[in-house]
Amino acid sequence: MTLNCAWLRQNLAYDCRPVRTVNGEPALEIGTPFSFADGTAIVFYLVEQGSHAIISDNGDTLTHLQSVGLDPFNRRRETAIRNILSPFGVALEASGEIRTLGPMGTSQHMVATYISSLLALANQERSWLGIPEPVNNFADEVEHYLRLWKPSEEAIRHPKVRGISRHEYTFDFSFGGELIDVVTPSHQATGGLMRKLGDVLSAPGERHRIRVVIDDRDDFERAETEKQIIGSMASAMLFSSLTKVANRQSVH
């Protein structure tokens, strides 16, 4: 198997261009739709070495953290970064490069888990900077796993739909023929969402298919309760369920 941009565009719809490493080796530079707290794009590189593939950020992530005032090289933060990356099978090298290595046949799964590791680190960056994690940051992760789950579908951000009241509502995505919203589990969020769903679903014309992804990473029981409520009006799924089906898809 020879790496090229075609399968990345087909399976994940990411930006991709051929480049050369500092050693002159052919590589792919992959731009994702995700970003760090200040809007810096998350980019990484895929290099073919014999029967294996290497994925690397070329040291860009730690350089970024340093540029926003977070010293990634002090012992405590460096340990934290290694602990964040480790569950994904991704390593922080002594050079500051974040990388992973695996057989060429697992490249698609490697890319998926590598992006997941950088998104986890981006979440931690927000915590270090004292920035509350917004729903939009969670939406980046949901989009990532939606693309893995159904790679042939296109994710369109922020589609607008009118309800029976003529009020215009914005959803997080249009994906696979569904309107998709992401929520954190709380009575307030669910209450507002249910009013929105009632208005949109009561509008004349074709009935919209709506899916809601609920963040269950911090409070599974609360998320499960809100899922039951939301499920009375729309397809509702926990974020953990989305990651499971997406990861099963990326392995095949």
Side-chain angles (χ1 to χ4, degrees):
M1 174 184 178
T2 300
L3 293 174
N4 59 63
C5 286
W7 69 270
L8 276 161
R9 294 193 183 111
Q10 179 181 352
N11 289 290
L12 293 173
Y14 290 165
D15 293 333
C16 176
R17 69 186 182 98
V19 295
R20 292 275 174 180
T21 68
V22 292
N23 297 322
E25 301 167 305
L28 302 180
E29 181 185 77
I30 302 161
T32 77
F34 313 121
S35 62
F36 292 103
D38 67 348
T40 299
I42 293 178
V43 177
F44 61 93
Y45 303 86
L46 190 56
V47 184
E48 183 176 352
Q49 286 200 346
S51 61
H52 287 73
I54 294 173
I55 304 180
S56 167
D57 73 335
N58 199 36
D60 293 347
T61 303
L62 264 62
T63 299
H64 160 75
L65 292 176
Q66 196 162 37
S67 74
V68 297
L70 298 171
D71 179 9
F73 299 105
N74 73 61
R75 184 173 298 179
R76 185 174 181 179
R77 184 160 289 135
E78 183 177 336
T79 298
I81 292 171
R82 292 185 191 278
N83 290 339
I84 291 167
L85 300 174
S86 179
F88 300 96
V90 176
L92 173 61
E93 304 292 332
S95 63
E97 177 187 12
I98 294 174
R99 76 182 238 166
T100 188
L101 168 71
M104 286 290 295
T106 65
S107 295
Q108 184 173 339
H109 183 61
M110 287 172 58
V111 167
T113 55
Y114 188 84
I115 295 171
S116 297
S117 74
L118 294 187
L119 288 174
L121 188 53
N123 281 341
Q124 182 59 57
E125 176 202 20
R126 302 190 72 87
S127 177
W128 283 332
L129 291 171
I131 302 172
E133 181 182 345
V135 171
N136 282 346
N137 202 46
F138 175 49
D140 281 349
E141 297 192 64
V142 170
E143 180 183 353
H144 168 56
Y145 286 105
L146 286 173
R147 288 171 180 267
L148 292 179
W149 182 23
K150 299 179 180 180
S152 63
E153 302 290 349
E154 180 184 5
I156 300 172
R157 282 287 188 111
H158 310 310
K160 298 182 184 299
V161 178
R162 288 194 183 276
I164 193 171
S165 68
R166 306 304 299 163
H167 182 80
E168 189 174 70
Y169 295 93
T170 300
F171 285 78
D172 289 298
F173 308 103
S174 171
F175 184 84
E178 295 180 316
L179 295 171
I180 296 180
D181 253 355
V182 304
V183 297
T184 54
S186 71
H187 297 310
Q188 295 88 344
T190 298
L193 175 65
M194 294 297 280
R195 288 191 293 274
K196 173 180 176 179
L197 294 178
D199 199 356
V200 169
L201 292 174
S202 299
E206 182 181 356
R207 186 177 173 88
H208 293 285
R209 293 167 53 204
I210 301 175
R211 180 181 298 273
V212 179
V213 181
I214 305 154
D215 190 354
D216 62 334
R217 293 172 297 181
D218 294 328
D219 191 337
F220 177 83
E221 290 185 3
R222 168 64 66 83
E224 183 63 36
T225 298
E226 302 306 310
K227 176 192 166 194
Q228 300 303 319
I229 298 171
I230 295 167
S232 65
M233 298 190 71
S235 295
M237 73 186 306
L238 301 179
F239 180 62
S240 60
S241 299
L242 174 62
T243 62
K244 287 175 184 175
V245 296
N247 285 329
R248 281 200 297 268
Q249 174 69 19
S250 70
V251 170
H252 298 307

